[in-house]
Amino acid sequence: MCLNFVALVQHEKYMQRCLDLAKLGAQTVAPNPMVGAVLVYEDVVIGEGYHMQFGQPHAEVNCLNHVAAHHQHLIEKSTLYVSLEPCHHVGKTPPCTSLIIEKKIPTVVIGCLDPFEKVNGSGKWYLEENGVKVITGILESEAMDINKRFICFHQHKRPYILLKWAQSNNRKIGNAVERIPISNDISNLLVHKWRTEEMGIMVGTQTVLTDNPQLTARLYPGKNPIRIVIDKSLRIPKAAHIFDTNATTIVFNEKINKVQQHVSFIQMDAMSGLKNILDVLYHRNIQSIMVEGGAQLLQSFIDEGFWDEARVITNRNMYISEGVDAPFLTHANCWKQSKFQQDEITYFKHQNP
């Protein structure tokens, strides 16, 4: 739909507010998408809300519930802005399209369509079939970006994959004998924040044997990710931190298939590759994972093209004479850099060949 400049600016202003609201649910709504909604009457916001918790009311419901009693009569004369296409199916909550029609909202402005197979354009279609004017594509790329994990999960049928490692200035990530701290306290705090934003965190056997990591978000408020370990021969000792009760753990291996309290051992065939592992994680509804090591596991994800984003922390003051080489990224587009003291953080996006 062609919009004049003034209308486009107005739509973008309120859609940006939707996106800002949506991000408030970053740690609590997965595997649902983050969604924000704003109700506007004659350039005045009379209601706003966001999806706050998985299984609880959606953004549109919270937005309309926020409208004051003395503004209720304005709802049927207002425009509803929502960052993601309203749902048109019964899940844990009723469909939002029915609520919009019930409230007689005449115009709905959508950031991007919902790729979930039970929506995927049906929400827009249903609204239009019932006389609602629908405008789409407002700040579409921004709306898709905040839900890149959700979109990847439903479009590619696998988790969104974030690669992360820290390296010395000469591109060493440590050695196979002992843990070598590379990043500083500020970067470590940021890494723990990143952990709260992903549903799972994955490492290989050698990383656990060498570093004995906890793989939790203990330095930053938020949820701990599900710990995912590939340990084919079950060499990791039971006293390792990954088996403590601070988070649930999944161990992919070739020997046993059982659940022991908070630890799930998933037996895989010796020929199973990353695709099979990602299939299992997809069917367990794990929408995103951060792969933190080691070098061989990270390189496997890169070589097989199973990554969406990478974040590399480089300590510019550190030189490791003998150690493990850092992974080598291919088809990578650097889009952002930041620096905290001696640590330089480079952000990459996967660019398909």
Side-chain angles (χ1 to χ4, degrees), residues 257-270:
N257 193 49
K258 65 179 180 179
V259 177
Q260 294 179 333
Q261 297 178 325
H262 61 287
V263 181
S264 296
F265 292 89
I266 299 178
Q267 188 174 11
M268 303 291 287
D269 186 88

Side-chain angles (χ1 to χ4, degrees), residues 212-216 218 224-225 227 237-249 260-263:
N212 192 21
Q214 298 183 55
L215 302 182
T216 60
R218 60 198 177 279
N224 287 325
R227 298 178 291 205
K238 294 296 183 261
H241 289 315
I242 62 159
F243 294 122
D244 64 30
T245 57
N246 292 322
T248 57
T249 299
Q260 294 179 333
Q261 297 178 325
H262 61 287
V263 181

Side-chain angles (χ1 to χ4, degrees), residues 167-172 182 313-320 342 344:
Q167 62 185 22
S168 65
N169 198 41
N170 62 326
R171 298 194 69 256
K172 304 291 184 182
I182 295 177
I313 303 171
T314 304
N315 184 332
R316 291 303 182 189
N317 293 346
M318 177 178 283
Y319 180 88
I320 300 175
Q342 76 273 26
E344 180 180 274

